[in-house]
Amino acid sequence: MLSNLPNDLLLNILDRVDTLDAIRICILSKQMLKLPAMLTRIFLSVSSIPGLHDRVVITSELLRTNSAVAHVTDSILSTRSPDIAINKLRIRFILTQDDSLTIAKSVAHAMAARKVDTAEFTEKTYKISSPDDLVRFGKQFNDFIGACPDAFAGLRCLWLRNMRLGELDIPNILSTCKLLESLHLTYCDSGIHSVLQVEHALLVELEVDYGKFERIELICLPKLQRVSYTGWYSHEDPLHFGFVPQLSKLSLTKTGISSDKTLELTMFLANVPSITDLHLGFRSEKIWVLPECPKLLTTTLSKLQHVNLDNLPEGCDLAWTIFILEAAPSLKALCITVWDHWCIMATDKEFRKENGFCEKDDVKWKPYAPAFKHKNLAKLIIHGFQPDGNFMRYIRCVVEAAVNMAEISLHDRKMCGRCGDLDPEIKDKVCPSRYPYTAEERKRAVDGLGLALPALIHFPS
């Protein structure tokens, strides 16, 4: 039945699926065999085989898939008519010498012929077993980019994983990728306590996950809008902001331990008063941001509109978060998630003690202006709501300050499929949720809040 559809409709359908799947569909009909060379969106990935999406252990099956990705890339790009441009090309592959060079040469040729509008590379590597592996993969990638610099010259997105590069390698990569708009580094660095300096004329997005940088210095990035940093290694401020006039979204996530420096936003964000969206993730552990005097912070947070405080530890007082309301007059939405996410938390007592994990404790804070009013906050979202005194006091406090509150959304704890596989001893520590699901329970919770406008409260869970 598919083969009876007109070509333009078929291409619209095939452009929406993985390209290897599209090819499998097309070989079923002689009339459709010509369509793969006409696709305008190409997505080729070693994860196309079910069950391999997050796999890092290299198997013969995965290597065969990688070779297939390289062969299909070469076949599609080399046989295309110059008149048919590729709007988007995304390739996810394992960094092996022969397959990587095949992919790079094909992409370089297509870019030279101006067939590709946007290209993305995601480099995967073998399972890491030692620091030597990181160095070896870094060298392999340098050999790869050195052999085919033209393939990277027009690249828009690049995601590198599991590599230890030289001190100047990442700046050299950025220099080669002249059109790069998005750079994602996962478990990549230039050595323990290394400093990464980033400069690029067109980079819009930078995402760094783990690695062992002492600091990342954003020297000159005139187009940068979004920065995300998860699991930094240093005990000092993880980022230094230079010339980043368009930076508006910042996400920081870390498992805090006792030796970590507490982040002072007045100093940390002094050069970036343009932040409108701020995400702080605490992974159910120590609160590593300092509640500061609002008078000192107001200039820094004057444009802040959306705040997300993620994975705050259960059972701790939430009142300290009010300092953000006091310091951010333009804030429109505040979202907090309270959750002891056991499958990402260290649970062994001896391990926690040896590695500096903190016991739960309330953050010391007092209101600087108890009678202050906030005119712009319109939405409060809470994940992990429980009808206890901690949450009730907090909601009343926020609503009393936010005179134009329009919506309060109270959700149950977030769900995680992996938490079902926890050790029974850990499961026994998990307090059952008392989230109000019945109409009677919800009415009791709303009445307990005693708000003038109970219709503002919603229970979406």
Side-chain angles (χ1 to χ4, degrees):
M1 293 179 64
L2 274 176
S3 59
N4 294 329
L5 297 173
N7 282 351
D8 57 346
L9 184 55
L10 279 171
L11 286 169
N12 187 279
I13 295 171
L14 296 174
D15 270 336
R16 298 171 186 269
V17 301
D18 182 282
T19 303
L20 287 179
D21 290 334
I23 292 172
R24 294 185 185 107
I25 294 170
C26 290
I27 62 177
L28 299 176
S29 168
K30 290 183 179 180
Q31 296 178 347
M32 297 173 63
L33 285 176
K34 61 182 179 181
L35 295 182
M38 300 169 64
L39 295 172
T40 59
R41 297 170 63 89
I42 296 175
F43 176 35
L44 295 163
S45 172
V46 292
S47 301
S48 297
I49 293 179
L52 294 180
H53 295 282
D54 298 315
R55 206 163 175 179
V56 293
V57 179
I58 301 302
T59 65
S60 57
E61 184 180 26
L62 193 55
L63 288 173
R64 283 196 298 272
T65 306
N66 199 58
S67 296
V69 167
H71 173 74
V72 171
T73 301
D74 183 51
S75 177
I76 289 179
L77 295 183
S78 62
T79 59
R80 294 180 69 86
S81 166
D83 299 327
I84 304 176
I86 299 172
N87 294 333
K88 192 165 190 177
L89 172 65
R90 297 176 62 197
I91 308 175
R92 294 180 180 174
F93 57 97
I94 300 166
L95 194 61
T96 59
Q97 185 173 3
D98 293 340
D99 293 339
S100 299
L101 287 177
T102 298
I103 291 170
K105 289 178 180 178
S106 301
V107 172
H109 178 76
M111 287 182 172
R114 297 186 178 179
K115 295 180 183 178
V116 182
D117 289 340
T118 302
E120 301 180 14
F121 280 175
T122 299
E123 309 271 1
K124 291 190 174 184
T125 53
Y126 301 154
K127 183 179 179 181
I128 298 301
S129 59
S130 73
D132 290 340
D133 290 332
L134 293 172
V135 175
R136 178 161 53 89
F137 297 145
K139 184 178 184 304
Q140 286 180 356
F141 181 75
N142 276 329
D143 293 343
F144 173 38
I145 194 172
C148 285
D150 290 346
F152 289 83
L155 207 63
R156 301 296 178 95
C157 301
L158 178 63
W159 186 355
L160 302 179
R161 305 186 191 190
N162 301 326
M163 296 181 190
R164 177 152 291 165
L165 299 149
E167 185 177 349
L168 298 178
D169 287 342
I170 296 177
N172 288 340
I173 291 168
L174 290 170
S175 178
T176 301
C177 302
K178 300 183 185 303
L179 300 182
L180 196 66
E181 295 176 356
S182 176
L183 176 63
H184 190 170
L185 304 174
T186 300
Y187 288 105
C188 292
D189 55 50
S190 300
I192 298 175
H193 296 304
S194 55
V195 175
L196 173 62
Q197 295 186 330
V198 186
E199 296 184 69
H200 197 278
L202 300 179
L203 195 69
V204 174
E205 179 180 47
L206 175 65
E207 188 169 349
V208 181
D209 302 324
Y210 305 100
K212 295 188 176 180
F213 293 112
E214 177 71 19
R215 184 174 65 258
I216 297 177
E217 299 180 353
L218 308 178
I219 303 297
C220 183
L221 296 153
K223 299 291 185 182
L224 189 68
Q225 297 176 20
R226 300 179 295 277
V227 171
S228 175
Y229 200 172
T230 296
W232 58 90
Y233 180 74
S234 170
H235 296 308
E236 301 300 321
D237 289 351
L239 296 167
H240 169 78
F241 300 97
F243 183 66
V244 285
Q246 294 191 35
L247 182 59
S248 60
K249 295 185 178 181
L250 178 63
S251 176
L252 300 170
T253 300
K254 181 178 175 62
T255 300
I257 59 177
S258 58
S259 59
D260 286 338
K261 176 185 176 183
T262 302
L263 202 66
E264 298 181 28
L265 296 180
T266 48
M267 301 293 292
F268 183 64
L269 298 177
N271 289 340
V272 278
S274 55
I275 298 293
T276 60
D277 290 69
L278 181 63
H279 174 278
L280 303 177
F282 300 95
R283 298 178 68 84
S284 311
E285 295 288 355
K286 173 189 173 183
I287 303 301
W288 40 259
V289 65
L290 179 69
E292 298 180 71
C293 173
K295 291 182 179 180
L296 300 177
L297 262 178
T298 298
T299 301
T300 302
L301 302 184
S302 62
K303 296 184 179 179
L304 192 62
Q305 297 182 14
H306 303 276
V307 169
N308 189 340
L309 304 176
D310 201 16
N311 281 12
L312 300 173
E314 293 179 19
C316 294
D317 192 2
L318 302 173
W320 68 270
T321 65
I322 298 294
F323 91 95
I324 295 178
L325 271 68
E326 293 182 333
S330 301
L331 192 67
K332 295 179 179 179
L334 172 63
C335 177
I336 68 170
T337 298
V338 180
W339 188 18
D340 283 350
H341 190 180
W342 288 97
C343 62
I344 66 170
M345 295 171 65
T347 56
D348 183 79
K349 289 184 178 179
E350 289 301 318
F351 178 86
R352 290 181 65 87
K353 184 177 180 180
E354 291 173 4
N355 290 274
F357 285 87
C358 304
E359 297 303 316
K360 287 186 178 181
D361 193 15
D362 290 338
V363 177
K364 299 294 186 280
W365 173 85
K366 64 177 181 179
Y368 284 88
F372 95 102
K373 301 299 178 185
H374 198 289
K375 298 180 180 179
N376 289 306
L377 185 66
K379 183 180 291 188
L380 173 65
I381 304 166
I382 297 178
H383 292 273
F385 170 76
Q386 303 290 289
D388 60 26
N390 187 20
F391 284 95
M392 297 298 207
R393 284 192 304 273
Y394 180 71
I395 293 170
R396 284 194 290 266
C397 183
V398 172
V399 173
E400 184 179 347
V403 294
N404 291 314
M405 180 67 70
E407 179 183 343
I408 302 171
S409 295
L410 305 178
H411 302 253
D412 198 357
R413 292 173 183 155
K414 291 184 176 180
M415 301 296 292
C416 170
R418 292 180 299 172
C419 287
D421 300 325
L422 290 172
D423 185 281
E425 291 185 6
I426 298 175
K427 284 185 178 181
D428 290 341
K429 299 179 182 179
V430 180
C431 297
S433 173
R434 296 190 296 112
Y435 183 80
Y437 276 100
T438 68
E440 182 180 350
E441 290 171 337
R442 292 180 175 182
K443 182 179 185 304
R444 191 156 53 242
V446 171
D447 291 345
L449 286 169
L451 302 183
L453 296 173
L456 299 180
I457 303 173
H458 304 279
F459 297 91
S461 296

